[in-house]
């Protein structure tokens, strides 16, 4: 696996409440994660970093994933553990009350990729022919789009655009959506926080991924462009290419 993780504070916010990592095990399977925290007084930063820390610790002891079912079960249990730990810390520490985080997380084997997510951080898959958004935002505006109450264009300027319907650590259960896809050698997986997708369209994302062959160049270029357009939010990007080259990184 060939991967790049990059996170940026953006142009406006004083802190970065995003976190992410790409972790590659001895079997050259990768765990990629992006978390976008929420909560006042840097509590969001605590929540997102805790989610990534828990994933990193669990991955160190994970065995090789042979089947998609094994990967799906592991990811569901990991989301549950994150939810429990974040919720417990928010109850024990008054300054962290109400904190939570989005999580999008993937297990990447050469034969398949399994994706789990809660919130509006996204996962995209680029193949030789298509570019698809794999996740569906757990947000109020996306629900309004789904039910036909507003259009996608109206959603862009909706006053409650940032309202989430699901997050990790804000309730006793964090219902994750989990799915497995087949991917081929050199296909690309993109995980990102909404600091990127609020500034760059899906069509532009596809263009960057197809035109820039180096994953480091893609990540840097996308963050630079999002910042040029205002950079009001933190921006985190995780890119994994399906190829037999191991590279570990985290931010």
């Amino acid at each position: 696996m060939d991967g790049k993780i990059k996170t940026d504070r953006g142009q406006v916010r004083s802190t970065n409440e995003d976190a992410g990592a790409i972790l590659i095990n001895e079997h050259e399977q990768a765990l990629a994660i992006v978390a976008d925290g929420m909560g006042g007084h840097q509590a969001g930063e605590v929540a997102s970093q805790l989610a990534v820390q828990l994933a990193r610790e669990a991955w160190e002891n994970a065995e090789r994933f042979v089947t998609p079912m094994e990967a799906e079960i592991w990811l569901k249990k990991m989301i549950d553990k994150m939810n429990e730990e974040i919720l417990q810390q928010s109850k024990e520490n008054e300054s962290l009350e109400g904190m939570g985080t989005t999580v999008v997380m993937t297990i990447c084997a050469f034969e398949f990729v399994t994706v789990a997510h809660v919130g509006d951080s996204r996962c995209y898959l680029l193949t030789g022919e298509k570019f698809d958004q794999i996740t569906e935002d757990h947000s109020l505006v996306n629900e309004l789009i789904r039910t036909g109450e507003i259009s996608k264009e109206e959603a862009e300027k909706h006053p409650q655009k940032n309202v989430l319907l699901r997050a990790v650590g804000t309730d006793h259960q964090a219902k994750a959506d989990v799915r497995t896809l087949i991917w081929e050698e050199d296909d690309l997986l993109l995980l990102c926080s909404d600091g990127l997708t609020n500034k760059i369209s899906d069509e532009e994302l596809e263009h960057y991924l197809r035109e820039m062959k180096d994953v480091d160049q893609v990540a840097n270029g996308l963050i630079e462009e999002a910042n040029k357009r205002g950079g009001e939010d933190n921006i985190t990007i995780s890119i994994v290419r399906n190829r037999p080259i191991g590279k570990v990184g985290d931010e």
Side-chain angles (χ1 to χ4, degrees):
M1 297 294 165
D2 182 16
K4 175 65 179 180
I5 177 76
K6 186 172 180 63
T7 186
D8 190 89
R9 180 170 55 86
Q11 300 298 298
V12 175
R13 298 198 173 185
S14 59
T15 60
N16 190 348
E17 294 188 329
D18 285 3
I22 298 174
L23 309 167
I24 300 175
N25 62 20
E26 60 184 276
H27 308 291
E28 292 196 48
Q29 294 180 326
L31 176 72
I33 178 173
V34 167
D36 180 356
M38 64 197 77
H41 306 292
Q42 299 184 342
E45 182 178 354
V46 173
S48 62
Q49 290 182 355
L50 179 55
V52 172
Q53 176 189 333
L54 290 168
R56 181 182 291 110
E57 292 172 354
W59 188 251
E60 291 176 356
N61 299 314
E63 300 292 334
R64 179 174 179 267
F65 294 92
V66 179
T67 68
M69 182 175 292
E70 292 174 351
E72 291 178 6
I73 291 172
W74 192 92
L75 287 173
K76 287 178 182 177
K77 288 182 177 179
M78 194 69 249
I79 293 286
D80 288 342
K81 184 174 182 179
M82 292 174 181
N83 191 71
E84 181 181 344
E85 292 287 341
I86 294 171
L87 188 61
Q88 184 64 31
Q89 286 207 22
S90 68
K91 289 180 178 179
E92 293 176 353
N93 190 327
E94 186 176 346
S95 67
L96 301 177
E97 184 178 359
M99 73 174 176
T101 186
T102 71
V103 172
V104 58
M105 183 166 46
T106 64
I107 291 175
C108 305
F110 291 121
E111 303 83 5
F112 63 87
V113 56
T114 302
V115 184
H117 89 289
V118 181
D120 62 356
S121 293
R122 293 180 180 176
C123 177
Y124 295 86
L125 177 64
L126 179 79
T127 67
E129 300 178 351
K130 297 192 300 181
F131 179 67
D132 293 322
Q133 181 180 332
I134 304 306
T135 57
E136 184 172 345
D137 295 353
H138 299 141
S139 65
L140 176 61
V141 294
N142 191 59
E143 182 65 17
L144 294 175
I145 293 171
R146 192 185 66 81
T147 57
E149 296 181 51
I150 63 172
S151 66
K152 288 185 177 181
E153 292 72 24
E154 291 171 327
E156 291 299 317
K157 297 181 180 180
H158 196 281
Q160 293 178 298
K161 183 178 179 179
N162 295 324
V163 175
L164 295 179
L165 300 181
R166 299 189 209 172
V168 176
T170 58
D171 206 342
H172 293 291
Q173 285 189 324
K175 184 181 178 183
D177 288 347
V178 183
R179 62 182 299 194
T180 295
L181 302 156
I182 303 300
W183 66 339
E184 305 293 337
E185 187 171 342
D186 283 332
D187 287 351
L188 281 174
L189 201 67
L190 168 68
L191 282 67
C192 58
S193 61
D194 66 343
L196 181 71
T197 52
N198 283 339
K199 291 297 179 182
I200 301 181
S201 69
D202 288 3
E203 292 76 17
E204 291 172 310
L205 290 175
E206 179 177 7
H207 174 77
Y208 267 88
L209 291 170
R210 290 199 185 282
E211 293 300 315
M212 298 182 184
K213 303 304 180 183
D214 179 74
V215 293
D216 188 72
Q217 184 185 15
V218 174
N220 289 331
L222 286 171
I223 285 181
E224 181 179 353
E225 187 60 36
N227 278 325
K228 282 181 180 178
R229 299 181 185 184
E232 291 89 357
D233 201 355
N234 310 140
I235 310 156
T236 300
I237 299 173
S238 174
I239 301 173
V240 180
R241 189 196 304 270
N242 191 8
R243 59 169 49 173
I245 301 174
K247 181 180 179 182
V248 180
D250 62 84
E251 291 207 11

